[in-house]
Amino acid sequence: MYLLGYDIGSSSVKVCLIEASTGKIIASDFSPRKEMKIAAENPGWAEQNPQDWWTNLKLAHQSVMQKSGVHAEDIKAIGITWQMHGLILVDKDQNLLRPSIIWCDSRAVPYGEKAFEAIGKEKCLSHLLNSPGNFTAAKLAWVKENEPEIFEKTDKIMLPGDYIAMKLSGQTGITIEGLSEGIFWDFKNQCISKDITAYFGIPESFFPEIVPTFGEQARVSAAAAAELGLKEGIPISYRAGDQPNNALSLNVFNPGEIASTAGTSGVVYGVLDKLDYDPLSRVNTFAHVNYTPEQLRLGVLLCINGTGILNSWLKHNFATSLPSYGDMNEVASLSPIGSKGLSVIPFGNGAERVLENQDVNCSIQGINFNIHSKGDVLRAAQEGIVFSYEYGMDIMRAMGMDIRVIRAGDANMFMSSIFRQTLASVSNAVIELYDTDGAAGAARAAGIGIGFYANTTEAFSSLEKIAVIEPENDKKEQYTEAYQRWKNCLERVR
């Protein structure tokens, strides 16, 4: 018996097939090999065509099935995870009406800010646990004002994973977790927020049926089965946004537990057991995958837009002579802690929530032509990303989170010894690395959804810890000095 996981990212779509009884990854692959295109027609915009997600899902799926040799009838459930906060609009025939406005698009900031003032800050924070900010609801408001003909044709709104579930099943649905990440969910009244729908003028008919995060949500249609070479009727039994799902993948379900990622964007995600929020909405609180009204499990999410995308930009525009990220890390390692006084402000991927939706761009501070080299810039970039994490984690600590252990997958920037050692030493937290990823986590969660696993403990019993990184306490002064210098630079930029 096997379980499939689909991970719809902004860079690629990953597919993972696991053996249910052992949790072993049988095969995985991703598509495309180069990063998916993000269209930016205007500054601060970011759009993708959801049909590209489906096309690349099919390519990665076909590769996984071919490599694994598994028969379609032996696949018993599908789980889906996705890039959070995207907006997809379809008409009554489930046709796409426009490209998806994705997570790093900042055009809707003014719409969210006006809603925050009009509805009332205290009411937004106490009911939504966030400002409407730059999330899905505000993006829909932008469409309503700027593309009224599209808004008029809209039958259903969805998040990226809901779109993939629709393509798989022909049915539309949305979870409470998804509604909360779109800032549509009223946590106090346990319903779609009437404040948000009334203020933005969103018909409640736009929302698909609410389906459970774990449990049968829909089944694979005959049409999708033919496209993918699957058996008709396989249940889709789990879906969640990428950061709640990443926490799930790392067995983070309980209050005080922390997960992190460092892909295109960077995230620190911790679990709370009470309704709480940052008064300035610099970090955001959403329903976690195991949230219920009776058992509060909320995810506090610190998101840094300018993370791996900075490293990628440097590779393609600055370190073009270095063939790989590993080579970049090697050159960066020649620079000392603090990068000889160089500081990089990494916020070059749109407005940053941690900076109260300011868009300060990326900058290099303190460069000296006589002493700095390529390695110093590369190291300072990684340190700058880590320092942005620590800047946000200070806000999480003020909310009562005790950050002692950070769990992460051995992927993306966590593969860099500079990045993970700097993070451990600046935050004074132990880093635990695991052999997992979002697609594998979604596959395991699908097993929970069909009842194959009795609970999360059983589902993640085979999760393998592959490394532990301790803080370098003997070098604490050097890390602290570099971080303080970086913070001073950030304040000047702001």
Side-chain angles (χ1 to χ4, degrees), residues 330-391:
E330 194 171 322
V331 171
S333 70
L334 301 176
S335 180
I337 296 168
S339 309
K340 300 177 190 170
L342 206 59
S343 296
V344 172
I345 306 301
F347 304 118
N349 196 28
E352 292 283 358
R353 273 171 264 162
V354 76
L355 303 180
E356 300 174 60
N357 286 321
Q358 281 186 286
D359 190 352
V360 300
N361 295 315
C362 179
S363 58
I364 303 174
Q365 306 285 319
I367 197 163
N368 183 310
F369 301 137
N370 299 307
I371 65 170
H372 290 127
S373 65
K374 183 181 293 184
D376 300 317
V377 174
L378 295 177
R379 182 179 186 111
Q382 293 201 36
E383 290 180 336
I385 294 165
V386 169
F387 296 156
S388 69
Y389 277 46
E390 177 64 10
Y391 187 81

Side-chain angles (χ1 to χ4, degrees), residues 21-67:
S21 59
T22 63
K24 180 181 178 183
I25 295 174
I26 302 302
S28 66
D29 207 346
F30 67 95
S31 180
R33 287 295 184 245
K34 291 186 177 180
E35 294 171 357
M36 271 191 291
K37 180 182 177 182
I38 296 177
E41 187 176 323
N42 293 300
W45 288 26
E47 298 184 347
Q48 288 186 318
N49 184 350
Q51 184 58 40
D52 291 344
W53 306 335
W54 181 244
T55 298
N56 285 296
L57 182 150
K58 290 190 290 184
L59 291 170
H61 172 89
Q62 289 160 4
S63 172
V64 164
M65 294 302 290
Q66 186 176 15
K67 287 195 293 187

Side-chain angles (χ1 to χ4, degrees), residues 35 306-325 328-329 332 342 344-346 362-364 367 373-385 413:
E35 294 171 357
T307 303
I309 194 169
L310 167 58
N311 219 30
S312 174
W313 186 90
L314 288 170
K315 182 178 186 298
H316 293 107
N317 296 280
F318 177 73
T320 54
S321 62
L322 300 174
S324 70
Y325 289 110
M328 287 171 61
N329 293 338
L342 206 59
V344 172
I345 306 301
C362 179
S363 58
I364 303 174
I367 197 163
S373 65
K374 183 181 293 184
D376 300 317
V377 174
L378 295 177
R379 182 179 186 111
Q382 293 201 36
E383 290 180 336
I385 294 165
M413 294 202 69

Side-chain angles (χ1 to χ4, degrees), residues 395-421:
I395 300 167
M396 297 172 75
R397 292 183 186 103
M399 294 174 65
M401 302 203 73
D402 186 11
I403 302 174
R404 298 186 183 185
V405 177
I406 299 172
R407 298 178 189 171
D410 186 27
N412 299 315
M413 294 202 69
F414 276 99
M415 297 176 73
S416 164
S417 59
I418 293 172
F419 178 85
R420 60 197 189 215
Q421 188 61 69

Side-chain angles (χ1 to χ4, degrees), residues 292-314:
T292 67
E294 299 74 32
Q295 179 180 273
L296 297 183
R297 292 293 182 268
L298 299 162
V300 179
L301 185 149
L302 159 68
C303 181
I304 308 294
N305 286 346
T307 303
I309 194 169
L310 167 58
N311 219 30
S312 174
W313 186 90
L314 288 170

